[in-house]
Amino acid sequence: MSLGRTCTLYTGAQIPTIGLGTWLSKPDEVRKAVLHALKTGYRHLDCAYVYRNEDEVGQGLRESGVAREDVFITSKLWNTHHRPEYVKAAVRASLRALGIEYLDLYLIHWPVSFVPNGAPEDTLTVPTLEYLFPQKDGNVHIEDVDFAATWKAMEELVDEGLVKHIGVSNFDIPKIEYVLKNARIRPAANQVELHPGLLQPELLEFCKKEKIHITAYSPLGNNIYGKERIIDDPAIKNIAKKLNKSPAQICIAFAAQRGVSVVPKSVTPSRIEENFQDFILDKEDFDEVSKLGARNIRYNDPGTEEWNVKIF
């Protein structure tokens, strides 16, 4: 089972190293997945407004019988709610859906702003795709919002006790530096794509220096754009076979060993259990996996693939 490892945020709060990702989970699957994960021993749930399933995450949490205060829960501010007057409405929608009173961590999901649909008070508890992706002339309707203003509104959520920590996601070094320059409350975390084929060493080093925790999403390399998966690489498969582990377990262990938390997504009970079986790679195997970083493959770039905007 899990080694029970945790990472420490700059406030001293502990975030469990292995969490359950809930992205791309179909109706009712995520409720069952959360319930099974919590019964397996997970105490870290990674959620987001845009996943359109926070209500089911909340159902799974309630059915598990695990106390709210024993679970570290993250959610994320969607691109339609970057204007300062929309931020509180967004977090309240996530809290309503989840059925909880506070979040442990709330992140700006992407450094891209969309024109909102309706007024803040019209914010949907569980959004539709049309609400999340407002259109103009056949493209997502982008607008320019100063992240310093968004961040100030995020800080007010901490002041009011709606969230315990705030952070960012998919932010590169210059964007984090801009937030830091304007921050009263420092970012506690940056959640980014991180796997053996995308190591991002400069970003990790910068965040370590600034005491910003890194959470790795898509630790297996996600395949929504039909690209070759990193877990199918012969190097990963060979090490997995040698250690009698799955390729996914190798990727998760590799991420955890780099000092980051990691949120693999699964709705399959056996894989949820498998992903939680934490272990340590020896130096030879760790170094062999590290060599895949030369490929520098980014699987998740909606700016290029969908939104017609440069993010990275």
Side-chain angles (χ1 to χ4, degrees), residues 229-273:
R229 301 189 310 167
I230 200 71
I231 62 167
D232 294 330
D233 189 278
I236 301 284
K237 286 185 168 182
N238 290 340
I239 293 170
K241 186 175 181 181
K242 181 179 78 171
L243 300 179
N244 196 28
K245 302 288 186 182
S246 72
Q249 286 177 303
I250 300 301
C251 292
I252 294 165
F254 177 76
Q257 224 156 309
R258 298 184 75 205
V260 306
S261 58
V262 55
V263 287
K265 170 256 172 182
S266 182
V267 295
T268 307
S270 60
R271 287 183 184 160
I272 289 171
E273 294 169 18

Side-chain angles (χ1 to χ4, degrees), residues 297-309:
I297 307 168
R298 188 181 293 280
Y299 289 98
N300 194 33
D301 185 359
T304 299
E305 302 282 352
E306 301 173 51
W307 302 340
N308 198 30
V309 62

Side-chain angles (χ1 to χ4, degrees), residues 3 78 94-95 127 150 156 174 186 190 216 225 229 234 243 269 289 309:
L3 299 176
W78 185 237
S94 286
L95 292 173
T150 306
E156 291 172 3
R186 297 170 60 82
N190 183 20
Y225 299 121
R229 301 189 310 167
L243 300 179
V289 175
V309 62

